[in-house]
Amino acid sequence: MMDDVKKKNDAFEAIIKGVAEEIKPGEERTFLEAAIDPCTLVIIGASGDLTHRKLLPALFNLYLNRSLPEPFLIVGAARTEMSDEDFRARSREAIMGRNPHDLQQWEAFASLLRYFPVEYADAPSFKRLADKLQDLDQKQGTGGNRIFYLAIPPMLCETTAQMLGRVGLSGEGSGGKGWSRIVVEKPFGRDLRTAMILDRTLHKHFREHQIFRIDHYLAKETVQNVLMLRFANAIFEPLWNRNYIDSIRITAAESMGIENRAGYYEQSGVLRDMFQNHMMQLLSLTAMEPPSLFEADRVLDEKAKLYRALRPFPVDNLQGAIVLGQYRQGTVNGKRVPAYREERGV
């Protein structure tokens, strides 16, 4: 399995490639060869753990691999008061912990970093951010193209999307504006009702093609290979059905505890963190029918058909269908992992 930073690396690359210029009819060009527009990546929640541990190292890897467009800017935004230099110092700490041998590349990468404090429920704060981004567009030549990555707790996503829309940061294609994209990490809402509310809020300001609801599990090399193993392998494809397969077991084995994510897990829980997104995606790739074309909408249709065919859990007898537990202390690769209830913040 790939490292989490590699998953973020691939997820970022998919987002950046996904907003590349469209291939014109008759052009023979692969997806990865499409020209990449210059843009600004705005990380909202840039002072948090996700940015520190995952996003910045992944972006630095893309920089080292020359996979970022030119020009390209990374603007951190969060409630914490910081200067550009403070943000660069924190970013250096996050990145050098994983890539100490690439120190010589750091200064060039650091020149891409900016920071701007925002209050998530304050429209004037986002208006100042919009003015700042417009100023950076003119100075750096990023063409008004922006990706807004919501690295914030799920409860703040709806408010933040509203603020972005109200100050005009969701608009695109007119008045000198480029394109705009918003990236929402799982969990997408807390339940069906809140997921639908969040979806309506996003669509109030962003069109469907602007919204990326990402599941970084899908960037795993093993996960991506499932479709190839199933549909492009003459040995397995004829046998991959209920006539020859008795049962399927999907195991997600972790090598660490929740570490410093107690606040998240105590609110969302592992079912929302792993089951209704990562595991359900793996189930759909394993059991769905082959799509007529390997295009996003066709694959989504086949996944939806599978989900509709699933037998619901018997809500009046959940004990007969689900076994729940919490991990106890143990040792992984010689490192002690404390029990869940011993973790800091639980």
Side-chain angles (χ1 to χ4, degrees), residues 255-257 259 329-338 343:
S255 59
M256 63 180 188
E259 296 184 323
Q329 69 174 3
T331 303
V332 179
N333 298 326
K335 179 183 176 182
R336 179 185 177 274
V337 178
E343 295 276 14

Side-chain angles (χ1 to χ4, degrees), residues 60 91-103 106:
F60 187 58
S91 301
R92 186 181 187 278
E93 176 187 340
I95 290 168
M96 291 303 117
R98 295 177 178 271
N99 301 285
H101 57 287
D102 292 314
L103 184 60
W106 163 250

